[in-house]
């Protein structure tokens, strides 16, 4: 871990599928709110992360939009409902940034490219990557965190070169809470 332990994290960047909600099987996509299965402990973890950071961003690749398996409106509907549910569960503010592009679109926002994080920082200039955290279940999440210089945390079963790894987001949240200066 090269980052200094801050008293508060500037921003927490969270992956969506496999981190907050159950991932669809390989090659499939979460297309509706009914199929959006929030993982156990997610809201509790978000409340903890909310308390120890200035802002929380969800950064997610959703190429089901480019593939026309769902519309932008379908995706917005899922996110509107998730944000409303999070609010009702005591989570302050959740901002969601999406890459809707396909693999071959040549965009700069599909993780592991850092475009979504840079967009979040443009919108919220107080964000400091060096005291921020990326949490996700994929190596592309670790990669995007390393690209911009955040702490990186892997959740789930994937093994990789992150600063820390935990089976669940809740355990990751407790660790981030405890390691503060
Ligand atoms: Mg994921
Ligand atoms: Zn993109």
């Amino acid at each position: 871990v090269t980052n200094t332990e801050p008293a508060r994290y500037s921003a927490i960047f969270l992956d969506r599928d496999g981190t907050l909600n159950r991932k669809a099987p390989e090659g499939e996509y979460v297309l509706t709110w009914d199929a959006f299965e929030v993982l156990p402990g997610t809201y509790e973890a978000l409340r903890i992360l909310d308390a120890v950071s200035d802002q929380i961003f969800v950064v997610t690749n959703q190429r089901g939009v480019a593939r026309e398996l769902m519309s932008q409106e379908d995706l917005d509907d899922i996110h509107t409902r998730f944000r409303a549910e999070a609010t009702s569960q005591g989570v302050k503010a959740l901002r969601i940034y999406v890459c809707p592009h396909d693999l071959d679109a040549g965009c700069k926002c599909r993780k592991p490219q850092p475009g979504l994080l840079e967009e979040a920082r443009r919108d919220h200039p107080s964000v400091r990557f060096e005291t921020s955290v990326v949490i996700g279940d994929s190596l592309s999440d670790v990669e995007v965190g390393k690209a911009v210089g955040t702490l990186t945390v892997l959740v789930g079963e994937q093994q990789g070169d992150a600063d820390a790894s935990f089976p669940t987001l809740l355990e990751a949240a407790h660790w981030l809470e405890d390691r503060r200066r």
Side-chain angles (χ1 to χ4, degrees):
V1 178
T2 53
N3 304 56
T4 55
E5 289 80 0
R8 280 178 75 72
Y9 301 100
S10 174
I12 309 247
F13 295 96
L14 291 162
D15 169 55
R16 199 194 85 173
D17 298 326
T19 302
L20 301 175
N21 61 290
R22 201 172 300 284
K23 200 184 175 80
E26 200 55 49
E28 294 180 34
Y29 301 85
V30 176
L31 302 177
T32 64
W33 174 245
D34 284 342
F36 190 88
E37 187 187 343
V38 177
L39 290 167
T42 288
Y43 293 117
E44 187 182 351
L46 289 173
R47 282 193 295 272
I48 292 168
L49 296 174
D50 217 1
V52 301
S53 72
D54 296 338
Q55 355 214 15
I56 298 180
F57 300 101
V58 177
V59 286
T60 179
N61 292 345
Q62 296 295 332
R63 71 186 181 106
V65 176
R67 301 186 66 198
E68 297 185 349
L69 299 168
M70 64 178 150
S71 66
Q72 184 65 52
E73 289 68 32
D74 296 335
L75 185 62
D76 291 345
D77 177 65
I78 294 172
H79 290 166
T80 300
R81 292 173 189 241
F82 177 57
R83 294 181 66 188
E85 183 59 27
T87 301
S88 81
Q89 298 263 350
V91 181
K92 279 201 301 282
L94 212 56
R95 297 184 174 88
I96 303 181
Y97 287 80
V98 176
C99 167
H101 308 117
D102 211 341
L103 300 173
D104 58 3
C107 76
K108 293 191 163 45
C109 50
R110 186 177 168 81
K111 294 181 291 181
Q113 297 188 88
L116 294 181
L117 282 71
E118 287 165 351
E119 190 183 336
R121 187 176 60 173
R122 265 199 306 280
D123 293 346
H124 306 276
S126 65
V127 169
R128 297 285 172 271
F129 288 141
E130 62 272 24
T131 52
S132 295
V133 188
V134 170
I135 310 176
D137 71 322
S138 300
L139 297 181
S140 64
D141 299 308
V142 176
E143 220 178 300
V144 78
K146 287 183 186 298
V148 300
T150 69
L151 193 73
T152 55
V153 179
L154 260 176
V155 295
E157 291 172 1
Q158 178 81 52
Q159 302 296 307
D161 185 25
D163 293 308
S165 299
F166 298 95
T168 67
L169 180 62
L170 186 54
E171 288 159 282
H174 281 301
W175 180 76
L176 287 165
E177 182 181 37
D178 292 343
R179 72 179 279 285
R180 288 171 306 144
R181 167 160 43 77

